[in-house]
Amino acid sequence: MLKRWIYFTGLGLFITVVSTGFKTKAEKQFGKIEGFHIAPNEITHYTVPTPDETEQVTYRLPYTGKSYIGFKQAVGIKESQGLYKLVSRYGYLGKYQFGKRALRTLGIYDTKEFLNNPALQERAFKALLSKNKYELRKEIVKFEGKIIKGIKITESGMLAAAHLAGADSVKRFLYSNGNKSFRDGFGTSIKSYIKKFGGYDTSIIVAHSSPKVKL
């Protein structure tokens, strides 16, 4: 009798432990994952799939589509693989690979604090987009929807290219019909950024001539 009681007690404990590993639709906060930071006013939760759903597809990643969240995550992956503490061999910093000069224009001087503060990096990225949108406000109206060198020009593509090379380089590309282009130290071109990051919804970005970011 004692042996049977021990057997069934052990079996019950085993089933309890195993079952805790299969909770479906558990909420996961991707804002706490390295390389995926979401501000308080953005969507903060996604769900993981059930066992049945995982059999239907190979991958179930957070789908952000052509939203602003999707845009900034795509740029971050391209720039640094989403690594907030990355410093490139050219001295560019963080997830979005900021130069020190660009940071100073936003009021950020402490690069150590910048590298260790994901939320600050996200605010800085949004602020720089705001500045570039102001610098390119006329070009956005003039060129959006046009085709240059086989590439459809969109606001998000222009903003991404400006992050890569600066607003003036984007203007030279546009007004030269794509004949005057820029490549960074890794050989990445304005044209490739306009194409890769085209069609995202960046309407959340408000143009500002001199945005500043507070620590």
Side-chain angles (χ1 to χ4, degrees):
M1 183 71 179
L2 179 61
K3 289 183 178 180
R4 291 181 62 188
W5 181 84
I6 293 174
Y7 170 79
F8 285 111
T9 300
L11 180 62
L13 289 173
F14 174 77
I15 293 173
T16 300
V17 171
V18 171
S19 66
T20 59
F22 292 95
K23 291 182 178 180
T24 61
K25 293 295 182 182
E27 289 187 336
K28 188 173 185 65
Q29 291 185 291
F30 285 91
K32 296 180 180 179
I33 293 178
E34 175 69 17
F36 200 102
H37 185 279
I38 300 175
N41 65 335
E42 297 169 349
I43 300 172
T44 56
H45 291 82
Y46 296 88
T47 56
V48 296
T50 65
D52 289 338
E53 290 171 335
T54 59
E55 294 178 357
Q56 299 173 10
V57 294
T58 303
Y59 298 105
R60 292 282 292 182
L61 299 175
Y63 179 71
T64 53
K66 291 291 185 175
S67 66
Y68 170 68
I69 295 174
F71 173 73
K72 71 175 186 174
Q73 293 308 124
V75 173
I77 292 298
K78 174 63 177 176
E79 291 286 328
S80 70
Q81 294 298 307
L83 301 176
Y84 286 109
K85 295 185 179 182
L86 180 68
V87 179
S88 78
R89 64 185 181 185
Y90 296 107
Y92 291 99
L93 308 165
K95 178 180 175 181
Y96 301 103
Q97 292 293 276
F98 275 86
K100 292 180 180 179
R101 181 177 179 182
L103 289 177
R104 288 195 294 269
T105 66
L106 300 176
I108 299 172
Y109 299 92
D110 188 339
T111 56
K112 183 177 181 180
E113 169 64 19
F114 179 77
L115 282 172
N116 288 286
N117 192 332
L120 178 61
Q121 292 188 34
E122 296 296 338
R123 295 200 304 273
F125 179 65
K126 192 171 184 179
L128 187 59
L129 289 175
S130 179
K131 180 175 177 61
N132 284 329
K133 189 168 183 176
Y134 177 83
E135 296 291 337
L136 293 168
R137 62 194 185 283
K138 294 179 182 178
E139 287 70 31
I140 290 171
V141 174
K142 182 179 179 64
F143 289 98
E144 189 166 26
K146 293 187 177 181
I147 306 296
I148 294 179
K149 295 294 184 181
I151 305 299
K152 184 177 181 180
I153 306 301
T154 65
E155 177 180 299
S156 61
M158 284 187 271
L159 292 179
H163 183 79
L164 171 74
D168 287 341
S169 293
V170 175
K171 291 178 183 180
R172 284 193 290 271
F173 175 86
L174 296 172
Y175 286 109
S176 69
N177 198 34
N179 293 315
K180 294 182 179 180
S181 190
F182 168 93
R183 290 182 182 272
D184 69 4
F186 297 101
T188 308
S189 69
I190 281 179
K191 178 182 175 182
S192 69
Y193 261 48
I194 291 177
K195 179 180 180 180
K196 184 176 181 65
F197 300 108
Y200 286 88
D201 181 5
T202 50
S203 59
I204 192 175
I205 303 301
V206 178
H208 195 295
S209 61
S210 55
K212 300 296 180 183
V213 180
K214 295 181 179 179
L215 293 177

